[in-house]
Amino acid sequence: VTAHLQLVQTVPADDGALVRALKAKQPGAASALYRRARPGVSRTILRLLRSTEEHDELIQLVMIELIFGIERFRGQCSLDAWVSVVTAHTVFKHLRQRRRDRRIFSGLGEEGSAAHAVPAASAGRLAVNRDLVRRLASVLQKVDQAKAEVFVLHDVHGFDLKEVAEVLGLTVANVQTRLVRGRRALHELIRADPELVGALDDVGEES
Amino acid sequence: MNEPDYARRAAELLQKAPVPEAPPTDSDVETADVAAMETALRAPRPSRLMPALKWGALAAAVLIALGAALWVGPPMRRTTTSVIASAASVGTVAAPGEAPRRLVGGMALGQASRVMTPLGGAAELAFSTGTRVELAEGSELSLDALGERQRLHVASGRIAAQVAHVQPGGAFVVETRDAEVEVRGTRFTVEVVPVGARCTAATSSTRVAVEEGVVAVRFDGREVTLHAGDRWPRDCFAAAAPELGPQPAPSGSSLAAQNDLFAQAVTLKRQGDSAGAISLFEHLMEAWPQGPLAESAEVERMKLVAASSEAQGAEAARAYLGRYPKGFARAEAHTFAAKVK
């Protein structure tokens, strides 16, 4: 009980204190960062991959990247935003290093992974949307991966241009170019698929 | 009528794509993660260029401490690179003058550490510079220098390196017994082939394949520059280029590999590293479930598990009896199983 109480007392009161504790390499700081950041890291990994595959391994990689990168964190954004960018950077780096056909959104093809799609929709609507999402993910695989990554990070996950640049190690101008070209490529691929166009038009009218 | 923006509609729909629930947290995994973080936190990090005043003060302090010898010594800006083993690594590591220990995820490896992977195993090392090095099965690698100039020595086997951009004044060098490979940010593999596997055209036992960037290979007093797609020695790859990339774990028939892994596990057991030994025995059981050493590995694992926990020992014993009802260790297994009903 004593040990537990001592552990609780060493948890820094706010993010600033936590960052200072980490930079000072204080005992318990790593554990505090883990508890503070893990939920957000886990959410970002799952949101990016839509799959639980390699979730735990990626958590560890991200946590070590956070430790290595803490010296560079100057409070220019919130700790959550920084953790999110580091997580995305680690996930994308990891996917590239794996050198296998793991792509963003690859988890959408897994059976049962779409069980929670569009909570308010009816069962029929749910099935249609699930199928549509899978088909879109499949079309996205045909877009040049460098452009698709930018599109997914910016348009789907809501990272701003500067954050996408940090995640992918690019300049903001380069991100902007890839985004425009990625959107255009995706638009053309969808337009070439009348069935997909019809389905998207239906969804557009419903919403 | 304007055409709809299908990319925007696709993005809106993909935003609604289901996000799977997080897997349940495992306290053992959490403990290992935090341990890895603490190791990383304690590991020395590259020093950054300090403001001029601080730098001058530090230089003065060092000069006082070391005297005039520093004037002819190495450059003053010194960097230490930390190296950490990834979670999926299977192998052993030996510090200078110390017995080999099991390689575990998050373990920090110091200068002069020697990393060995068994046949059927592999390891990945993450450098604080961003460089990553993968050791294939049956490889031995020494971290000879981890300063600004990083120098690795491949004694046997194969490594694949993805080298982060090297800062001016730095270097990333891989040595083998007869060649030296120097890079400045690239991806390549270095392999030391057995003596009998040398091709007739070359006398080197080193093989280099470059995937990205440029590397310089020095051998026998000559230097050759290789670009992406190049392999060295060229003569050895002219007829049929052997696959130097990551290869799947061997399956089924490699008795030598099984012997090697079993021997490493027994060595760890004798050194008192039960967890390491169990890990290698389990690896052998998984890689060669029908192999001649699978039953022995399971028996050894059962004994080690039973020594630390009667409940887990009983569970391991029941699993053994399920697979080998007439196995040579069935009497011992029945004893373990009977301890916990």
Side-chain angles (χ1 to χ4, degrees):
Chain A
V1 173
T2 307
H4 175 69
L5 288 173
Q6 284 173 348
L7 187 67
V8 171
Q9 284 167 353
T10 60
V11 174
D14 56 51
D15 288 347
L18 173 58
V19 172
R20 285 193 294 277
L22 286 162
K23 288 182 178 177
K25 303 185 179 186
Q26 284 179 7
S31 173
L33 175 67
Y34 186 85
R35 275 174 282 137
R36 167 72 179 80
R38 192 186 186 285
V41 170
S42 174
R43 272 196 306 275
T44 305
I45 291 170
L46 295 169
R47 201 159 55 90
L48 288 171
L49 293 180
R50 308 291 162 118
S51 162
T52 54
E53 191 186 346
E54 299 181 291
H55 171 269
D56 289 352
E57 186 184 353
L58 280 165
I59 291 250
Q60 191 186 70
L61 287 174
V62 172
M63 290 297 172
I64 289 173
E65 292 290 337
L66 291 176
I67 292 287
F68 279 145
I70 198 69
E71 291 290 344
R72 295 193 297 274
F73 179 67
R74 299 270 182 265
Q76 64 276 30
C77 59
S78 71
L79 188 65
D80 283 331
W82 180 70
V83 167
S84 177
V85 168
V86 172
T87 304
H89 176 76
T90 308
V91 168
F92 276 73
K93 194 167 74 170
H94 179 75
L95 289 181
R96 286 170 183 165
Q97 283 168 350
R98 283 296 180 208
R99 293 182 214 164
R100 56 175 143 148
D101 197 20
R102 272 303 308 271
R103 300 278 186 113
I104 41 182
F105 275 108
S106 61
L108 290 172
E110 293 172 3
E111 280 303 313
S113 67
H116 308 291
V118 199
S122 65
R125 168 93 175 277
L126 189 72
V128 170
N129 277 340
R130 188 169 53 196
D131 183 53
L132 194 50
V133 165
R134 280 189 187 149
R135 289 181 60 185
L136 282 175
S138 170
V139 170
L140 200 55
Q141 310 288 11
K142 295 176 188 165
V143 176
D144 174 58
Q145 196 66 9
K147 299 182 184 88
E149 285 175 354
V150 172
F151 168 79
V152 167
L153 281 169
H154 186 273
D155 283 7
V156 179
H157 296 307
F159 288 93
D160 64 32
L161 291 174
K162 190 167 173 290
E163 288 173 334
V164 177
E166 283 177 34
V167 168
L168 298 176
L170 302 169
T171 63
V172 172
N174 203 334
V175 168
Q176 183 76 55
T177 306
R178 290 188 189 192
L179 181 60
V180 170
R181 291 179 181 169
R183 282 173 178 164
R184 193 183 303 147
L186 182 61
H187 176 85
E188 293 303 326
L189 282 167
I190 293 172
R191 213 173 59 148
D193 184 340
E195 222 176 304
L196 198 50
V197 165
L200 276 177
D201 284 342
D202 289 346
V203 172
E205 284 167 18
E206 285 173 25
S207 60
Chain B
M1 195 174 91
N2 286 339
E3 187 178 49
D5 181 349
Y6 290 120
R8 185 179 58 76
R9 285 196 181 174
E12 286 169 359
L13 204 67
L14 288 171
Q15 284 165 9
K16 296 174 186 169
V19 178
E21 287 180 14
T25 53
D26 181 326
S27 60
D28 288 344
V29 172
E30 284 189 5
T31 304
D33 285 352
V34 171
M37 291 170 73
E38 283 171 351
T39 305
L41 192 63
R42 288 194 302 271
R45 253 162 282 169
S47 62
R48 298 199 167 269
L49 210 56
M50 299 177 184
L53 281 175
K54 283 186 182 175
W55 192 238
L58 179 67
V62 174
L63 277 171
I64 291 166
L66 298 181
L70 196 67
W71 292 107
V72 293
M76 287 181 56
R77 191 163 70 88
R78 297 185 61 203
T79 307
T80 304
T81 304
S82 58
V83 182
I84 289 185
S86 79
S89 298
V90 175
T92 55
V93 59
E98 292 181 11
R101 291 178 296 152
R102 185 171 66 103
L103 200 59
V104 293
M107 179 184 276
L109 310 179
Q111 185 162 296
S113 293
R114 193 160 47 92
V115 183
M116 290 152 287
T117 53
L119 290 168
E124 185 179 31
L125 309 181
F127 289 57
S128 56
T129 53
T131 293
R132 284 181 182 269
V133 173
E134 294 173 18
L135 280 79
E137 58 166 337
S139 300
E140 182 177 332
L141 173 77
S142 299
L143 307 175
D144 285 356
L146 292 178
E148 275 180 304
R149 293 182 66 83
Q150 293 136 45
R151 182 175 289 271
L152 315 183
H153 180 86
V154 183
S156 62
R158 181 181 66 247
I159 68 161
Q162 187 168 347
V163 182
H165 181 69
V166 179
Q167 297 301 318
F172 187 90
V173 179
V174 179
E175 288 177 337
T176 65
R177 70 175 79 95
D178 60 15
E180 186 179 85
V181 182
E182 178 165 353
V183 300
R184 287 188 179 275
T186 186
R187 197 155 67 186
F188 66 102
T189 59
V190 174
E191 181 174 22
V192 176
V193 298
V195 173
R198 293 182 188 187
C199 63
T200 53
T203 53
S204 175
S205 60
T206 304
R207 302 287 180 270
V208 182
V210 181
E211 290 182 45
E212 288 176 12
V214 180
V215 311
V217 180
R218 291 185 275 274
F219 169 69
D220 198 22
R222 297 185 300 274
E223 181 173 299
V224 180
T225 302
L226 302 182
H227 297 87
D230 286 348
R231 293 177 172 211
W232 181 90
R234 293 180 208 277
D235 295 341
C236 292
F237 298 103
E243 181 56 56
L244 282 178
Q247 293 175 1
S251 59
S253 62
S254 175
L255 185 58
Q258 296 171 61
N259 280 332
D260 183 80
L261 195 55
F262 194 88
Q264 288 199 35
V266 170
T267 302
L268 289 179
K269 179 186 167 187
R270 286 180 184 149
Q271 290 168 354
D273 183 359
S274 297
I278 288 171
S279 170
L280 293 188
F281 282 130
E282 287 175 347
H283 189 68
L284 194 153
M285 289 157 58
E286 284 169 16
W288 294 279
Q290 306 302 323
L293 293 175
E295 183 181 355
S296 297
E298 186 153 0
V299 170
E300 291 297 328
R301 178 188 174 276
M302 173 181 73
K303 289 178 185 172
L304 286 167
V305 169
S308 63
S309 161
E310 284 193 351
Q312 288 177 11
E315 195 179 324
R318 289 188 197 105
Y320 169 77
L321 289 168
R323 263 189 288 278
Y324 306 98
K326 295 181 181 176
F328 68 87
R330 61 184 181 279
E332 202 168 4
H334 281 300
T335 306
F336 289 140
K339 287 184 178 174
V340 180
K341 294 290 182 189

